[in-house]
Amino acid sequence: MTTALCFAVALPSLALWHFAATLPPLDLTQASLRSTVILDRDGQLLRPFATADGRWRLPANAGDVDPRYLAMLKAYEDRRFDDHPGIDPAATLRAASQWLRHRKIVSGGSTLSMQVARLVEPRSERSLAQKLRQMVRAVELERRLGKAGVLDLYLQLAPYGGPVEGVRAASLAYLGREPARLSIAESALLVALPQAPEARRPDRFPAQARRARDRVLDIAVERGVIGREEAETAKAEPVPRSRKTFPMLAAHAAEQAVAADPVARVQRLTLDKRLQASLETLAAERATAIGPALSAAILAIDNRTGAVLAHVGSAGYLDAARAGAVDATQAVRSPGSALKPFVYALAFENGVAHPETLLDDRPVRFAAAYAPENFDLGFHGTVTARAALQQSLNVPAVDLLDAVGAARFIARLRGAGAQILLPRDTAPGLPVALGGLGITLTDLARLYAGLARGGAVPDLVRRVPSRPVIASGARQSSATCATVDASALNCFAPLAMTERTIADPVSAWYVADILRGAPPPENALSGRIAFKTGTSYGYRDAWAVGFDRRVTIAVWIGRPDGASVPGLVGRVSAAPVLFDAFSRFGGEPETLPRPQDALVVATAGLPPPLRHIRRDAPKTLEATLGVPLRIAYPPDGARVDLGLSEGARAQLALKALGGQPPLTWMVDGLPVAEGMRRQSAWSPEGAGFARISVLDASGASDSVVVRIE
């Protein structure tokens, strides 16, 4: 008996030693092949890609899975995993004695390390030679990788039926979530499936999967991993009966990342998974509510760093009816009025106008018989630049573009990094102020982010650097940034103020201050964000772009094929989405700090050349020339009794002669309502002296001082 026992112990050792000398070197190349995974800024999974041969093999390690799963795995598969060198002598002795008695393999005595060896070098036969090979490779694996490395290989390579390999892919495929937090029943199921992955697939054989799971639970109770009551509760939990789809957040951004770096198996983007998921849902819901075949795109940019926080390319990547595979953030479309703020910024920068400069919104004909009209087909008379931009009036915007030059405006946009598409064989003309060009949502968002950054347009950052850079003055280690708080803004270096500018700081602030006062859509609060909408010609595109100090969000809605959609208007369709997106971003909006050089005064406090835009060449459809402008009534120095001392309410008649219409009446530097004709009227608020002025289209003026009683 003693001789037989010694023989049983020595035989495997001698055979193993001899067999090891005949094996080729261990090659882990195929085992190292992984699915490409796209992660968000915090390391959360956005989208995995199958391997070249169609398998889902996601990277995983012991830190990625529930500790109870690991405890059950070792209890069920290899109780002495933490102690043996890759081979369990007791299990090997038991297997050898069974082989001697029965002349065939009854139990393999496989350790987790041996199972990994089988997965690394798969063989279909079940023989003594193959078992010896696994034993040799198990020892080699433990020596090369250590216990943690071997366990990680098992977590990545264990088969779970079909193309699903590894515990992370299995947890996503069968449970619909990451394996970091599993129930006891779920842990037991994932332990049981690799023993017979095809026969126990829950989506095909749920009864067999349940029996195997319950067997694992029983063994876990026997070996003290869980209690009997916990096992009974777990057995009552149903087994999933279908495969879940793998996550597909930021599908367009993920594909672009893979195309840019096809070798990298793990790519970490600057996207925020929570915000990305929320905005994808928002885009799908709103596009569906607006109409069929419509899509939507949303882009969110961190103004301080230029990092892209959300990239929603369509209303549903897999929605063929809405051409969901088309990334609308990269599509060149007409922006409508969305570029008007940059016309104003250029005019402010060049001293042509100020937010309180008076502009004329009336019928006018520019060169080449170009006669723009407002969206509502009406005209508003004399308005400030602030009011003209807030109301998105067309004539004042074209007038300012005419003053600064369309070619210069296009050059500024291109100099800021925007790819501008003009109609073929045409020079920049005045219609570009109203959307007569092509631009992408991405470039438009960058330009608006430039306004939020004092005029400096950021280069977008889409990938988290491998070693996060800490902003100046931040009290945070790179290790903490990389693992715990990667979503914090100071994990990304703030972009330097580059030469790519869209406006100087003062002009950028003027525009931001104006846009913060734009009337919001229905049921939204005013004054919270600076924003502008746009509607392209023919109702093909609806735009809304908004920003505060923290973030810029741009929204596009339309048909991917460019077809017209009656009623598709930026203010009605896109603006509500923009405001909803800001609410989902969270936090309180932050206003931009006012530059020291900003001139904040009323119209009357401006230098005379900035009070009103007057051009030498008449553009109005009506023109009278030759008679000098003068105030006919009231005469200078007159005392006019309107009965104000007795509490009466009366108007003072105003009359001018000569000059070039339209005329603008002002009292004490403030415009008179409806004061655009030769004859007007003013309602004084009380008795006293008043300076009455009139200006004409050529810039001529006349003033009188009267006393009202």
Side-chain angles (χ1 to χ4, degrees):
M1 183 68 178
T2 303
T3 303
L5 181 61
C6 293
F7 180 75
V9 173
L11 180 62
S13 300
L14 291 173
L16 190 63
W17 177 82
H18 180 269
F19 192 78
T22 66
L23 292 179
L26 178 64
D27 184 6
L28 297 179
T29 303
Q30 291 299 316
S32 64
L33 296 180
R34 303 282 184 273
S35 293
T36 297
V37 293
I38 307 299
L39 311 177
D40 83 336
R41 61 200 289 139
D42 295 323
Q44 298 188 63
L45 182 65
L46 293 172
R47 182 184 179 184
F49 289 84
T51 61
D53 55 359
R55 290 177 293 173
W56 296 97
R57 183 189 287 179
L58 277 60
N61 56 52
D64 297 327
V65 299
D66 194 297
R68 290 178 297 189
Y69 163 83
L70 295 176
M72 287 189 191
L73 176 66
K74 293 177 182 179
Y76 185 73
E77 294 284 4
D78 190 351
R79 283 182 291 171
R80 289 176 285 274
F81 172 76
D82 294 324
D83 302 317
H84 63 62
I87 304 171
D88 186 346
T92 302
L93 181 61
R94 183 191 70 246
S97 63
Q98 290 174 341
W99 176 73
L100 287 174
R101 287 198 307 270
H102 300 283
R103 300 299 177 181
K104 65 179 180 178
I105 296 176
V106 176
S107 63
S110 291
T111 62
L112 280 174
S113 305
M114 292 171 64
Q115 293 183 44
V116 171
R118 185 175 68 249
L119 296 172
V120 169
E121 293 183 338
R123 296 288 191 279
S124 58
E125 72 273 12
R126 192 178 185 210
S127 63
L128 180 60
Q130 177 60 19
K131 183 61 66 175
L132 290 175
R133 186 185 187 101
Q134 291 173 15
M135 296 171 72
V136 172
R137 293 310 194 199
V139 174
E140 289 182 323
L141 284 169
E142 295 232 1
R143 288 179 177 176
R144 181 185 297 189
L145 304 177
K147 290 290 183 183
V150 170
L151 183 58
D152 288 349
L153 269 182
Y154 179 86
L155 297 178
Q156 295 169 9
L157 300 178
Y160 282 88
V164 180
E165 296 184 2
V167 66
R168 190 178 183 189
S171 183
L172 290 168
Y174 295 123
L175 306 176
R177 65 172 181 274
E178 295 277 5
R181 299 186 65 180
L182 300 171
S183 69
I184 293 176
E186 292 167 342
S187 296
L189 178 66
L190 295 181
V191 168
L193 295 185
Q195 289 292 317
E198 294 302 331
R200 298 175 178 176
R201 283 181 57 170
D203 58 330
R204 293 185 178 179
F205 308 105
Q208 291 88 325
R210 176 185 284 273
R211 284 195 294 270
R213 181 200 67 180
D214 293 349
R215 172 63 178 157
V216 172
L217 290 170
D218 290 338
I219 292 177
V221 171
E222 293 174 9
R223 296 175 180 173
V225 177
I226 60 175
R228 175 66 62 184
E229 186 175 339
E230 289 178 307
E232 293 304 319
T233 301
K235 288 180 180 180
E237 190 172 313
V239 168
R241 293 175 172 267
S242 61
R243 277 270 306 271
K244 309 291 192 301
T245 57
F246 283 99
M248 194 176 284
L249 287 173
H252 300 92
E255 288 186 346
Q256 292 168 18
V258 171
D261 188 358
V263 177
R265 289 292 168 256
V266 178
Q267 297 201 41
R268 193 169 167 192
L269 306 185
T270 60
L271 302 179
D272 181 310
K273 182 178 181 179
R274 178 199 64 81
L275 182 63
Q276 179 72 30
S278 180
L279 295 189
E280 285 191 13
T281 301
L282 174 63
E285 291 176 349
R286 292 301 179 89
T288 301
I290 294 173
L294 280 168
S295 190
I298 306 175
L299 198 70
I301 300 173
D302 177 351
N303 290 333
R304 193 178 71 88
T305 65
V308 177
L309 302 178
H311 177 155
V312 181
S314 68
Y317 181 77
L318 299 178
D319 191 341
R322 301 179 189 276
V326 175
D327 185 358
T329 67
Q330 306 297 320
V332 177
R333 311 300 289 256
S334 167
S337 297
L339 286 179
K340 284 179 183 175
F342 305 103
V343 175
Y344 282 78
L346 189 58
F348 296 157
E349 180 179 316
N350 286 274
V352 173
H354 177 275
E356 308 308 326
T357 297
L358 296 177
L359 305 175
D360 288 328
D361 181 39
R362 62 182 73 249
V364 62
R365 193 178 303 279
F366 294 88
Y370 179 52
E373 295 180 329
N374 289 318
F375 188 79
D376 60 4
L377 302 180
F379 295 93
H380 297 250
T382 301
V383 295
T384 62
R386 178 182 301 276
L389 181 53
Q390 289 174 346
Q391 299 176 50
S392 194
L393 303 181
N394 288 342
V395 174
V398 175
D399 200 6
L400 288 178
L401 181 61
D402 190 34
V404 299
R408 188 176 184 184
F409 174 64
I410 295 299
R412 173 60 65 89
L413 297 179
R414 287 174 169 165
Q419 301 296 316
I420 302 298
L421 182 64
L422 294 172
R424 184 175 299 178
D425 301 326
T426 61
L430 296 181
V432 300
L434 309 182
L437 52 76
I439 191 172
T440 65
L441 183 71
T442 299
D443 278 344
L444 191 63
R446 288 180 59 248
L447 294 178
Y448 275 85
L451 293 176
R453 291 164 47 85
V457 178
D459 290 326
L460 298 187
V461 179
R462 298 183 179 274
R463 295 182 61 176
V464 176
S466 56
R467 292 184 179 180
V469 181
I470 305 302
S472 175
R475 298 180 181 178
Q476 189 175 16
S477 69
S478 59
T480 302
C481 184
T483 59
V484 178
D485 194 22
S487 62
L489 289 180
N490 57 359
C491 287
F492 304 94
L495 298 177
M497 300 291 278
T498 67
E499 293 184 357
R500 287 187 171 186
T501 59
I502 192 61
D504 64 38
V506 172
S507 300
W509 182 82
Y510 282 157
V511 171
D513 186 58
I514 291 172
L515 295 181
R516 197 160 63 91
E522 292 184 5
N523 301 320
L525 296 177
S526 62
R528 293 176 60 80
I529 63 172
F531 80 102
K532 182 71 181 73
T533 61
T535 305
S536 66
Y537 178 78
Y539 302 100
R540 291 175 170 83
D541 309 275
W543 307 75
V545 190
F547 61 91
D548 67 350
R549 189 174 185 176
R550 307 165 302 158
V551 64
T552 295
I553 300 179
V555 175
W556 170 88
I557 296 177
R559 287 179 56 119
D561 59 4
S564 178
V565 182
L568 187 68
V569 177
R571 176 174 173 77
V572 177
S573 302
V577 179
L578 173 67
F579 275 71
D580 199 341
F582 261 92
S583 68
R584 296 183 183 211
F585 178 77
E588 281 297 313
E590 299 178 13
T591 59
L592 306 182
R594 187 176 81 185
Q596 292 183 350
D597 297 335
L599 179 61
V600 181
V601 296
T603 303
L606 293 174
L610 281 179
R611 294 178 185 174
H612 201 299
I613 295 293
R614 290 301 184 203
R615 313 299 301 282
D616 292 334
K619 299 185 296 296
T620 55
L621 298 179
E622 52 174 329
T624 38
L625 302 172
V627 180
L629 176 67
R630 68 181 182 89
I631 295 177
Y633 186 86
D636 189 27
R639 178 179 295 181
V640 182
D641 187 358
L642 295 178
L644 298 179
S645 59
E646 299 176 0
R649 301 293 295 177
Q651 288 187 321
L652 175 65
L654 306 176
K655 183 176 180 179
L657 296 176
Q660 180 179 311
L663 305 183
T664 299
W665 288 94
M666 304 182 71
V667 177
D668 294 332
L670 298 177
V672 175
E674 304 300 329
M676 297 174 291
R677 303 180 180 85
R678 295 187 183 279
Q679 296 186 31
S680 186
W682 167 59
S683 299
E685 295 182 356
F689 287 94
R691 175 177 290 276
I692 301 172
S693 305
V694 65
L695 301 89
D696 74 354
S698 68
S701 65
D702 189 26
S703 296
V704 297
V705 176
V706 298
R707 181 172 179 174
I708 308 299
E709 297 179 348

